[in-house]
Amino acid sequence: LIVDSDCDGVDGDVANAIFVREGEVAGDGSLAAPFGSIGEAVAALDVTSPAATAATPILVAGGVYEEAVVVAKGMVMHGGYSEDFAARDIVLYPTLIVANESQLATGAYGTVTATGIDQPTEIVGFTIVGWDATSQGTSTYALYVHDSTSALVVANCVIVGGRAGAGTPGGNGTPGGGGADG
């Protein structure tokens, strides 16, 4: 887990981290100008280099992030930071990821989607909320994990499922046989 072992005022390394704070516009991911969405931070990772992603944690301030997130192999993402990133407490600074069906991008099946994760990858300190399906017979996923190994660590998270769509009406059964003579 990320700790402030270098006493720079942030749990993690200020020089190597990507910062995210709700409501930011035109940020560059630095402490002074955080990205406004988790998706921007994931896109900024160099996913071609596992060493680079492990050395580049995404630190997310408390807030509500209305987006679907696709997890990249090797990424380290921690929520629960104060607005200035000087403190981290997942209870005092809850970090919610909430999506709806219209926000699902290509390759996203849930609010948070992790597929094919086989390198050390962390998602720590989030509340992940599934959406309520609006179509009949539709599934909903808060956290969708597929074809991944134990290299994926999801810790200190609250996962809240949404309501799936109602089932389709059943057909009529076959008529019963004639009754026996009395």
Side-chain angles (χ1 to χ4, degrees):
L1 294 175
I2 296 174
V3 295
D4 187 13
S5 59
D6 58 4
C7 299
D8 63 2
V10 172
D11 287 350
D13 183 356
V14 170
N16 290 329
I18 297 175
F19 296 89
V20 179
R21 183 171 47 221
E22 177 189 23
E24 293 292 324
V25 178
D28 60 10
S30 66
L31 179 59
F35 285 127
S37 75
I38 297 167
E40 289 175 292
V42 174
L45 287 175
D46 178 6
V47 294
T48 61
S49 169
T53 56
T56 310
I58 298 172
L59 308 181
V60 186
V64 178
Y65 297 87
E66 295 182 14
E67 60 185 302
V69 175
V70 178
V71 176
K73 289 182 185 182
M75 110 180 181
V76 173
M77 186 171 73
H78 288 216
Y81 282 89
S82 63
E83 191 171 296
D84 62 0
F85 297 94
R88 181 164 186 258
D89 186 314
I90 61 175
V91 174
L92 291 177
Y93 312 109
T95 308
L96 285 77
I97 306 172
V98 181
N100 62 48
E101 286 177 275
S102 68
Q103 293 169 318
L104 296 181
T106 302
Y109 300 100
T111 300
V112 174
T113 299
T115 56
I117 304 298
D118 57 4
Q119 299 169 11
T121 303
E122 294 179 14
I123 303 169
V124 181
F126 291 89
T127 297
I128 303 169
V129 181
W131 62 92
D132 289 341
T134 57
S135 303
Q136 197 172 41
T138 304
S139 298
T140 177
Y141 303 97
L143 175 62
Y144 182 89
V145 178
H146 177 70
D147 198 24
S148 297
T149 69
S150 61
L152 173 63
V153 174
V154 178
N156 299 324
C157 289
V158 175
I159 313 295
V160 180
R163 291 189 181 118
T168 56
N172 291 333
T174 57
D181 290 336

